[in-house]
Structure formats: C-alpha cells, structure tokens
Amino acid sequence: MSVAAVPAVAADPSVCAPLAVLGRDVTVPLVTGGEVTYAALDYAASAPALQRVWDDVAAYAPYYGSVHRGAGYLSQLSTDLFENSRTTVAEFLDCREDDQVVFTRSTTDSLNLLAAALPAGCEVFVFETEHHASLLPWRNARVTYLDAPRTPGEAVRNLERALADRDPYGPALVCVTGASNVTGELWPVRELAAAAHAHGARIVLDAAQLAPHHPVSVQELDVDWVAFSGHKLYAPFGSGVLAGRSDWLREAEPYLAGGGASRKVARRPKEAGGGVDVEWHDTAARHEAGSPNVIGVYSIAAACKALTEAGFDELVAREQYLIRKVREGLAEVPAVRVLSLFGDDAPRVGVISFVVDGWNSSHFAAALSAEYGIGVRDGLFCAHPLVRTLLGGKADEPGECGAPEAAPGEKSLNAIRVSFGAGTPDEHVERFVRAVKELVADGARWNYRTEDGRCVPDTSAAA
C-alpha cells in the first residue's frame, strides 16, 4: 500500500482527543479581557508532549544515570533503557534486520549526519518543495533540485527523468518528504523509492511530518533511510532518529569525534610522528559521540509505544474527521485560499496552510492568538521555495522563517498554517473556524503593531 492511502473516516468519531497531552487545560489571557483554554494548533512545529510520555519519563527520572561503560546499577539500568529504546524505534519503523538506528538531536541533525556520510562523488536529487532540513544539508554534494510537481504522478516522472540522465555508475541519493509541512499532502514515497532503486539510487525519507500521523514501514515503503524528530512525535527533550542501511554510515568518518564513537585510541610513538591512532565503532555508536540524551531517547520510545498501542487506524480516522471539519469551514469563507500542490482530493495529514485576502498573515495569526487564544504559525515555514511557488512569489525574494515582511495591512509574502493531531479536541478546531469567519467578516477587535519583526497587539488602545 502506498503511503498516500488513507483509511476511511470513522462514521461517528469521538469528539474527544484520543490521546491526552500536556497543556490541555492551560488557560491564556485574551487582549479583549478574560481567559480561555489555549487551543494549540501548531503541531507541525512542535506537538505537545503526550501525558503518557511525560509519566513514563517521570517514572524513570529517579533512576537516571550515565549510559554505557558504567559499573553502577543506575548506569546499567539506563544503558539497558537506552538500547531497548533503539529496539522499540526499530520495531515502530518496521526496520530490516540489519538496519541501524542512530539517535540524533532532530530530523535536521539526522539528515546532516547522512549528508556527511555520503560516498565520494554521490549525486543528490531533491525537490524544491522540501523543508530546509532536507533541502539544505546536501550543499557540499552534486545536487539536482527538481521543480515542484503538481501531481504525485508528475513527481515520479520528474524524478525518473532526472535519474535517467545521471552517471549510472556513481552513487546517488534521493531525498523526499513523506508529508509536506506546508500543505500536509502525502507524497508517493513507495513509487519514488521504486524509481530511485530502478536507476541505482538510494532514497531517504524525511518523516518528520509523517511519523506522528501515519504508520511508517521502512520495509513496505522500501526506503533506505528514514529520519524524524521526537518533538513532532509528542516527545520532548530534543532527540531525533536516523534509521536505515548501515554500510554508508559504517564506512563514513564519525559525524562527531569523541568518547563513545571510538573503540580504541592509542598514542603513536614519537619516532612515528606522534599523535593518536583511533579505531572507530562500526555500530550506531560510531555517530553518537558524547554523552547521549537518554531522557530524549526514552521519550521517543515511549511515544512510539503510545501511538502503536492507540492504533494508527483509529488515529488516522479521527484526524481525517478533523481535517474535513477545518477544510469545510474554510471553504465557506471566500476570502480564504488554501494552499495545495496536488489539489483538494489529495490525501493529507493535519497540516493546512492558507492566506486571507486583505490580510497580512502575521496580523491574522496575531489576532487569532490575542483575541481567541489560538496558537497557529505564520511565515514561510522553513520551506521558502515551496511557499513562494504556492503564493506566486519569486524564488530569489528574501525571507526569514516565521517573520513577517511587512506591517499589518501591507503586502507580504507569507501564509498561515494550522496543524493538529492526536491531542486535538473538537472545540479547538471549531473555535478556529469560528474565529476565521469572524475576523474576515468583522475585522480585528484590537489594534496591532510591528515589534521586533512580529505583529503584536498594541496595548495602548483598543481598535
């Protein structure tokens, strides 16, 4: 089954979020007076931590100790927990038996690690639609940037044409997202992997936006590597994963040099020039130098278990129900234009970006927050080429992630993104849709100004 296949929406999904998250009862002040429960609708940036993850980490915290090589009980317990977490992640991703699971800081870190491990002469193929985390790490390699496709089939055909023109004897790597962080649309990963392998290339999947919403099977999708971040998978503490084939990783110089990556270090005799000789590990430890983030790693494993036990079929069905509520609500507002590459019928996760006629996106997002207690994202979402393509802007126009480029009411090339997931209750998306309609119909109830590059409420006077 392709990653783009989506289970049918449940006939009567629960109005309650299927998984409890931290912050679900937090209240925030409104600039117009009073307080309201915060509606966290910025999951694509960082999803709130699952209560289950927080509880698991809290239960382990008193037993926290150094990992590897420690003789004490807590060190050995922490080492077992760390390595068992590696096994849990491998099972979550349905890895092959000989795949390695390397723990990193984030998706960005994972893809930079893989970029540092590319064999000499490797060609890289990447669509301009990628997040900067998967667009930029390859700049020291020979890179072919592919134009934004307008259908999944066009994406496969464009890749096949590009690969057909490459050196057939040299190494090559394709990098592709599983779900867009701008449009939420699912990419034809399995088909792209087949195209890559047919032309002797390998493929890495950026699953940062896919793994929290859909099951990801390395074997079913037939990808060579997959990368994702804990902070988007309902797991705090700053860890990520690069999982997949071991040969390029084993043959590369360690991503970081230091303790843990080395198996043996010895001084050279002075008559031999001095210095040190190093024998590096050929396991995942080769690229995990230094003291690892045990808490972060364990939180990822706990999130993997929680999502698996909750059942992705039910989670996907529930999310599709919320997507339909948001899209149908936005469709009732003529001034709203939802951004899309593949069209309205394209399968997608709970990530939707849009613009509003007559509004600067930063101004609109500020009003959602200040007047309704709703947290969304505005800007170019660290995917500048894609957003500029969708908005009709020039590829060389300057931009900065998340920062408006004009004062409220002035023309600006940015968008608004709403994103949600397993911890989102109905009330949050209903409040969001209602707020969009009210702001478009009646305007903001407060005055706003630009401060330090952001649009903020002007607390000196009401509108």
Side-chain angles (χ1 to χ4, degrees):
M1 181 180 72
S2 169
V3 71
V6 177
V9 177
D12 184 23
S14 170
V15 296
C16 298
L19 291 174
V21 296
L22 294 182
R24 58 191 179 276
D25 298 323
V26 168
T27 60
V28 294
L30 300 180
V31 72
T32 51
E35 293 186 341
V36 67
T37 303
Y38 184 66
L41 296 178
D42 193 17
Y43 277 46
S46 285
L50 290 178
Q51 184 68 56
R52 156 77 178 274
V53 171
W54 195 259
D55 292 344
D56 285 352
V57 168
Y60 160 66
Y63 300 93
Y64 171 81
S66 61
V67 175
H68 300 139
R69 299 173 300 283
Y73 177 82
L74 297 190
S75 178
Q76 293 186 35
L77 185 149
S78 294
T79 297
D80 286 346
L81 179 143
F82 185 83
E83 294 302 332
N84 287 337
S85 295
R86 204 187 302 276
T87 300
T88 298
V89 171
E91 292 172 349
F92 179 75
L93 295 174
D94 189 27
C95 288
R96 297 165 290 256
E97 185 176 351
D98 57 350
D99 283 343
Q100 286 187 353
V101 173
V102 181
F103 290 118
T104 66
R105 294 178 298 174
S106 60
T107 306
T108 301
D109 197 34
S110 295
L111 293 171
N112 275 273
L113 188 165
L114 185 60
L118 295 180
C122 187
E123 295 183 67
V124 177
F125 298 82
V126 58
F127 288 92
E128 68 171 351
T129 47
E130 294 292 310
H131 185 281
H132 294 171
S134 47
L135 185 72
L136 301 181
W138 326 105
R139 58 192 183 278
N140 292 327
R142 289 187 293 163
V143 186
T144 296
Y145 295 102
L146 305 176
D147 292 341
R150 288 298 180 169
T151 67
E154 184 182 342
V156 177
R157 291 191 295 273
N158 289 353
L159 178 62
E160 288 177 332
R161 282 194 293 268
L163 290 171
D165 293 336
R166 80 175 189 90
D167 177 359
Y169 302 105
L173 178 71
V174 176
C175 180
V176 66
T177 188
S180 171
N181 78 303
V182 176
T183 67
E185 293 164 317
L186 300 180
W187 278 62
V189 177
R190 186 173 181 178
E191 292 80 0
L192 291 167
H197 293 153
H199 290 84
R202 298 189 181 189
I203 185 168
V204 57
L205 169 64
D206 175 354
Q209 299 296 341
L210 182 64
H213 304 275
H214 275 267
V216 175
S217 169
V218 168
Q219 297 191 69
E220 184 177 327
L221 296 174
D222 197 22
V223 294
D224 298 281
W225 293 277
V226 60
F228 71 87
S229 295
H231 72 99
K232 299 185 191 297
L233 196 78
Y234 310 99
F237 309 112
S239 281
V241 168
L242 177 67
R245 301 194 181 279
S246 62
D247 54 350
W248 285 8
L249 299 175
R250 186 173 57 245
E251 294 161 9
E253 285 292 305
Y255 185 47
L256 297 173
S262 56
R263 178 184 286 117
K264 180 180 178 182
V265 180
R267 284 289 304 273
R268 294 193 199 105
K270 291 183 179 180
E271 55 269 21
V276 295
D277 290 317
V278 184
E279 179 183 338
W280 303 105
H281 283 294
D282 58 9
T283 63
R286 184 183 189 90
H287 298 290
E288 295 177 345
S291 297
N293 181 357
V294 186
I295 295 287
V297 166
Y298 183 48
S299 71
I300 287 181
C304 290
K305 288 181 179 178
L307 291 171
T308 300
E309 292 170 6
F312 268 107
D313 284 349
E314 292 187 16
L315 294 177
V316 170
R318 163 71 182 174
E319 186 171 305
Q320 293 302 308
Y321 162 73
L322 293 180
I323 291 171
R324 189 174 69 241
K325 287 176 71 75
V326 172
R327 287 177 59 84
E328 288 177 352
L330 293 179
E332 295 173 357
V333 187
V336 170
R337 177 165 69 93
V338 174
L339 306 183
S340 175
L341 270 177
F342 300 153
D344 289 343
D345 296 332
R348 65 193 71 231
V349 299
V351 178
I352 299 169
S353 295
F354 63 98
V355 291
V356 182
D357 291 344
W359 283 82
N360 170 280
S361 293
S362 178
H363 186 194
F364 201 89
L368 286 173
S369 174
E371 300 177 27
Y372 295 90
I374 299 170
V376 297
R377 180 68 49 132
D378 67 279
L380 299 174
F381 318 126
C382 290
H384 294 184
L386 171 56
V387 178
R388 294 188 185 287
T389 294
L390 295 172
L391 295 180
K394 297 179 180 179
D396 58 354
E397 290 185 46
E400 182 178 348
C401 294
E405 298 169 22
E410 296 179 0
K411 181 176 176 57
S412 177
L413 196 64
N414 58 355
I416 306 151
R417 184 181 70 191
V418 56
S419 53
F420 41 85
T424 305
D426 273 25
E427 191 277 328
H428 288 185
V429 298
E430 290 167 354
R431 191 196 320 171
F432 166 75
V433 170
R434 183 175 68 253
V436 170
K437 292 179 178 179
E438 290 180 1
L439 286 172
V440 171
D442 304 327
R445 290 173 288 172
W446 206 264
N447 289 324
Y448 293 81
R449 59 187 174 82
T450 299
E451 180 179 289
D452 296 329
R454 291 220 49 88
C455 186
V456 300
D458 185 349
T459 55
S460 62

